[in-house]
Amino acid sequence: MVDVGFPYPVAVASLGMGTCSLFCFFYIDVFHMLPAVGIDWHFYLTRVVPVSLAQGLSLWISNGLYLFLTVAFIEMARSALPLFVMIALHCSGLETPTTNVVMAVGVTSVGCAVSAFGELGLTTIGVLALVACFSCEAARLVLMQTLLVKSNWHPIQGLRIFCPVVFVFLVTLSYAKEYPVMIATGDIFVPLSRDTWPFIFLGGMLALSTNLLGLVIITLSSATTLKLLGTIRGPLVVTLGVVLFSERVTSLQAVGYSIAILGFGWYQYAKTQQDAKRG
């Protein structure tokens, strides 16, 4: 969307969540393919809203990352997410990491640091945004896994509850931060142009698929499995960034990313051993 003249990450994120909200509304409330989930206000405010706000902040910041960092480096840096998840689990009292888990996360973090050192276009605001994004994402994963496993909802029922809150949050944030600039520059009409709306439609469908599959994975397995699939996706996205967008990946970045992937593999093994002993 930046390349077509619409550099507004919050608005772009809200379009995706709006698509998810509409799909779930028609699927459950109009066509009654699934029963509606009844929850009280206390549960809504103490469980649903915190998860939705964490997701909204994560979407806002992650979309904004592409204004300051390359696609390739962002995907490399995502290997550091287990560090933030480990800290979130420990701080919430849900899990105490073993020595192997801590060492594996340490190796992954070293690899990410090497990749960052080799990044040609690294900026301070980009690094700070990455840290904020990963913190919100770790909080969302921990809260979401706890909530979904205990609630036993169908993934679409979960989306029906969470997506409208995230959508309202993002629209409000976009109105406060981006709407005045859109009006002043005339960019508010860019999404309506014939060359842009196909990208918006495709982005909405991809957002729906990503959120739905993410909830399926968290419900049937764990947030750890979701992170593993994300890491497997990383090399593919890096390759596409180089091929499609002519982004440059230095040799130092490649070495650092390789170290991060090895560390993440170790992390997955250590987590599996930890879960087996606990089970």
Side-chain angles (χ1 to χ4, degrees), residues 164-241:
V165 183
V166 181
F167 174 70
V168 171
F169 170 76
L170 291 174
V171 168
T172 303
L173 188 61
S174 178
Y175 182 81
K177 295 180 62 65
E178 298 174 340
Y179 182 73
V181 181
M182 291 184 198
I183 293 297
T185 59
D187 290 342
I188 193 170
F189 300 107
V190 170
L192 302 179
S193 66
R194 185 169 54 185
D195 297 331
T196 306
W197 73 260
F199 292 99
I200 294 177
F201 177 78
L202 179 60
M205 292 298 100
L206 290 174
L208 173 62
S209 301
T210 300
N211 281 283
L212 187 58
L213 290 175
L215 285 186
V216 170
I217 294 168
I218 292 176
T219 302
L220 298 180
S221 54
S222 68
T224 301
T225 304
L226 186 63
K227 296 194 302 295
L228 174 60
L229 294 176
T231 300
I232 295 173
R233 178 204 65 180
L236 298 177
V237 177
V238 171
T239 303
L240 288 175

Side-chain angles (χ1 to χ4, degrees), residues 73 76 110-119 252-258 260:
F73 177 70
M76 293 179 186
V110 169
C112 291
V114 173
S115 296
F117 188 76
E119 168 66 15
L252 189 59
Q253 279 184 292
V255 171
Y257 193 33
S258 299

Side-chain angles (χ1 to χ4, degrees), residues 47-128:
R47 300 293 186 87
V48 176
V49 171
V51 175
S52 300
L53 291 181
Q55 183 172 0
L57 286 171
S58 178
L59 285 171
W60 168 39
I61 300 172
S62 63
N63 279 9
L65 290 177
Y66 297 99
L67 299 176
F68 307 104
L69 300 170
T70 63
V71 173
F73 177 70
I74 292 172
E75 289 304 316
M76 293 179 186
R78 289 190 190 279
S79 300
L81 185 56
L83 171 63
F84 293 83
V85 175
M86 182 184 70
I87 294 173
L89 288 170
H90 180 68
C91 292
S92 63
L94 295 175
E95 188 175 292
T96 300
T98 63
T99 302
N100 277 337
V101 170
V102 174
M103 293 176 62
V105 170
V107 171
T108 304
S109 301
V110 169
C112 291
V114 173
S115 296
F117 188 76
E119 168 66 15
L120 299 176
L122 192 66
T123 62
T124 301
I125 189 171
V127 173
L128 293 176

